[in-house]
Amino acid sequence: MKRQTIGQTPFIIREEMPAQVNLQNRWGSLLVIIMTVAGLLAAFLLRDTILSASIFFENLEAGLALRYPASWIVETEGDFVLRVTDPESLPFKTTITASVRIIGLETSAVSVVNRITLERSPSLPGYDVLESREIQTPYGIAESVSFTYIAIENNPLLQSIPVPMRGQDIIFIKERQAIILTYTAARENFDPDYFYFENMLRSLVF
Amino acid sequence: MRPRSQSNAAPQSNEQPRTTVWRFSALILVAFLLVSVAAFVLGGRLEAILPQWIMIILRYALALSPGLIWYLPEKRLQDRAAARGLERHRAITGITFLSGVLALGAGSLLLDEVLRPEDWLPSAGGLERIQGYTLTTGIVEGFLKYAVMRYTAWPDQFRRREDGIYYGIAAGIGYAVALNIRYVLRLEPALSAASMRIAATTLSQVAFGAMLGFFLAEAARGQRRFYWLPGGFGLTAFITGIYIAFRAGVVVSGLGTSPIMGLAVSTGLAIVTFLVLAFFINVLDVREQGRLGIQGERL
């Protein structure tokens, strides 16, 4: 932009305004790119922080403590110590249940698995154990059981198609207690939501 | 700029008058708003009497309407300007088109496949939602619109501050049309519902595009420090984050949803943005004139 005077009248000749890609603008453009990359990385961090946000739970009577996802619905009344449910999961709620059973001194994890299978078979349509194996955990060896079943809505007012479900039990034996952590989710949600189960498992103290 | 007192000796500017840029942009947005409101009011009745295939065509026409309403009069305006010996705004169509292509390509990939903010932000707290939408939608959409302007028409076509607004609107409309088409393709919504969503998307994208255009135009004058562009980019992303978090809260509140409230928020955003930008442009122009000792009339 250039100032000129013709006669008594000052004016600006706009046609002469140069294109301004000066050093400041070059640094500015570079900073925008850096900000974009940094912002996206921060978004991933924030996502992980929000998704892994958890609340501490402790039950002294059962001798069990763990952390569950902050946005999930909590139940403590029933034949379990804790049950947490993801309210937003579709088509069927993803659920993690922690329960404790009193067992005999000689009872093995395999016996507990068999007992659970016998209990679930009549109540869960299509219940089938896919795999049962020992796994190494921070608390020693535990029994892992993968299973499937069909979830059917019992309320006749809520018509829905049966949903294929997948689940996994992790069974720890400690003295006369079997601590059972059970994860169930609709087949398509099993893998995406599995990290919730892993996080909860990692936080487990008994 | 031409001097206050006319002189045959003074050279005439060959740029389009400033008022044309503002009036044209305002008219386009009002025309689009009227089309959306008409679609909202008549949508239900048309669904009842027209066959399904016509409704599908109408949905896509509505999704494309911001681009059509913008493109045809804009082309005519530029042709008329050229006929009068005034300088054209160049690369407007290219910027609109490129912005749309990037929205469907990079924008869709990053937001719908990689970051997926709608999967983890709606249940988060208010501050986390603002942070999250700033870092995801704000950054991605902002950068794509910024990049389209920065690496095509900038700085040669950004001679005046109003040029930034004009190019920003073009980039915003291109981006909005792409989002609208994706929305209609995925959800196949009813015409009434689509009209509110499409209007809200378009107005907000245009407002954010104009913000980025303003910061680019100011940078093109070569008098700003290195933090001007990243500052403007960050501010736009932050306002995007606030807008999405606030709009979601307004649209889905209480026991039901209120798409009209969503449109009201978007319209408010657009009006406030343009008023604030017009104010700053005016102040900066007056200051510049004062610094240069010019008392001439602004174009």
Side-chain angles (χ1 to χ4, degrees):
Chain A
M1 188 180 295
K2 189 177 176 182
R3 183 179 172 223
Q4 274 194 3
T5 304
I6 295 179
Q8 298 295 314
T9 309
F11 62 90
I12 296 169
I13 301 175
R14 283 196 170 270
E15 288 77 8
E16 292 187 8
M17 192 180 97
Q20 300 286 344
V21 189
N22 57 24
L23 193 62
Q24 296 284 336
N25 282 337
R26 286 186 199 281
W27 276 112
S29 300
L30 183 65
L31 273 177
V32 170
I33 294 170
I34 292 170
M35 270 179 76
T36 303
V37 175
L40 293 179
L41 291 176
F44 282 114
L45 281 176
L46 182 68
R47 183 181 68 173
D48 287 348
T49 306
I50 288 175
L51 288 178
S52 60
S54 59
I55 294 172
F56 181 71
F57 171 84
E58 187 177 31
N59 186 318
L60 292 175
E61 195 179 334
L64 180 148
L66 46 72
R67 301 190 75 88
Y68 61 87
S71 58
W72 287 28
I73 294 169
V74 185
E75 291 175 80
T76 51
E77 301 294 324
D79 58 347
F80 45 78
V81 178
L82 173 76
R83 173 177 288 167
V84 286
T85 306
D86 180 4
E88 293 174 5
S89 54
L90 288 172
F92 209 86
K93 304 294 178 233
T94 300
T95 303
I96 300 172
T97 308
S99 54
V100 175
R101 293 181 182 211
I102 305 298
I103 56 172
L105 275 173
E106 300 299 319
T107 307
S108 66
V110 175
S111 304
V112 177
V113 171
N114 292 337
R115 180 71 188 264
I116 291 171
T117 306
L118 283 173
E119 287 171 5
R120 285 178 181 163
S121 293
S123 58
L124 297 178
Y127 183 80
D128 189 23
V129 174
L130 297 177
E131 183 190 38
S132 178
R133 64 187 172 94
E134 286 185 346
I135 58 167
Q136 186 66 44
T137 71
Y139 302 106
I141 291 180
E143 192 74 13
S144 167
V145 182
S146 300
F147 57 89
T148 61
Y149 66 97
I150 305 293
I152 298 173
E153 182 56 67
N154 292 322
N155 187 342
L157 298 174
L158 299 174
Q159 294 179 348
S160 64
I161 297 170
V163 180
M165 301 287 289
R166 278 187 67 187
Q168 185 176 4
D169 290 311
I170 304 287
I171 301 161
F172 302 94
I173 303 292
K174 185 186 177 189
E175 296 169 358
R176 294 191 61 190
Q177 275 190 328
I179 292 108
I180 307 163
L181 223 56
T182 305
Y183 167 62
T184 56
R187 187 179 56 187
E188 59 267 40
N189 295 335
F190 186 85
D191 288 332
D193 288 350
Y194 193 77
F195 73 95
Y196 289 118
F197 185 53
E198 284 182 317
N199 287 349
M200 223 162 141
L201 202 57
R202 270 197 287 268
S203 70
L204 180 66
V205 178
F206 57 87
Chain B
M1 289 184 185
R2 65 173 180 257
R4 184 186 295 272
S5 54
Q6 293 296 322
S7 164
N8 290 335
Q12 296 292 308
S13 166
N14 65 342
E15 290 177 3
Q16 295 175 39
R18 289 165 191 269
T19 47
T20 306
V21 173
W22 288 110
R23 277 185 199 155
F24 178 71
S25 305
L27 278 174
I28 292 295
L29 292 179
V30 168
F32 168 68
L33 203 56
L34 288 175
V35 168
S36 299
V37 171
F40 178 72
V41 173
L42 299 173
R45 293 174 194 173
L46 292 176
E47 300 264 5
I49 57 173
L50 292 176
Q52 188 62 27
W53 65 271
I54 294 184
M55 293 312 297
I56 292 172
I57 291 174
L58 284 178
R59 275 203 298 266
Y60 282 99
L62 190 64
L64 288 168
S65 64
L68 296 173
I69 291 172
W70 165 260
Y71 176 73
L72 296 175
E74 200 280 331
K75 190 165 175 9
R76 188 173 156 79
L77 179 79
Q78 297 306 323
D79 289 345
R80 282 175 56 191
R84 287 162 57 198
L86 302 174
E87 194 159 322
R88 281 170 173 266
H89 281 116
R90 295 183 192 284
I92 284 280
T93 309
I95 282 179
T96 309
F97 183 74
L98 192 56
S99 182
V101 169
L102 283 177
L104 286 175
S108 183
L109 177 73
L110 278 169
L111 290 175
D112 295 343
E113 305 298 330
V114 180
L115 292 165
R116 303 167 69 103
E118 293 307 323
D119 284 359
W120 49 278
L121 277 175
S123 59
L127 278 177
E128 283 174 332
R129 280 210 303 275
I130 292 173
Q131 272 183 320
Y133 284 121
T134 300
L135 295 172
T136 55
T137 313
I139 291 273
V140 171
E141 291 185 352
F143 181 75
L144 293 177
K145 288 194 287 278
Y146 158 86
V148 166
M149 289 186 276
R150 167 66 179 81
Y151 297 105
T152 55
W154 191 88
D156 296 338
Q157 297 297 315
F158 287 65
R159 288 184 295 272
R160 295 178 306 184
R161 294 182 173 97
E162 284 84 352
D163 294 338
I165 307 296
Y166 204 69
Y167 281 94
I169 291 173
I173 282 181
Y175 207 100
V177 168
L179 293 182
N180 294 342
I181 290 172
R182 197 179 58 183
Y183 162 67
V184 170
L185 263 174
R186 282 188 174 180
L187 298 181
E188 298 182 357
L191 195 63
S192 299
S195 64
M196 293 293 100
R197 170 78 176 261
I198 286 169
T201 302
T202 306
L203 290 171
S204 59
Q205 289 297 333
V206 163
F208 298 135
M211 279 183 219
L212 289 165
F214 167 76
F215 284 102
L216 276 165
E218 191 61 28
R221 306 181 85 76
Q223 294 158 357
R224 294 290 176 181
R225 301 296 302 273
F226 67 94
Y227 48 75
W228 175 259
L229 273 180
F233 172 68
L235 180 68
T236 308
F238 181 58
I239 294 173
T240 306
I242 293 176
Y243 162 76
I244 297 173
F246 179 67
R247 184 176 172 276
V250 169
V251 171
V252 185
S253 59
L255 295 174
T257 58
S258 173
I260 292 184
M261 285 303 292
L263 178 61
V265 172
S266 306
T267 309
L269 170 82
I271 291 171
V272 170
T273 301
F274 281 101
L275 286 176
V276 169
L277 291 178
F279 171 77
F280 277 121
I281 286 175
N282 196 42
V283 168
L284 290 167
D285 278 349
V286 168
R287 274 191 189 173
E288 192 169 87
Q289 284 181 335
R291 195 170 61 242
L292 291 166
I294 306 297
Q295 294 178 332
E297 179 186 338
R298 294 172 66 229
L299 271 172

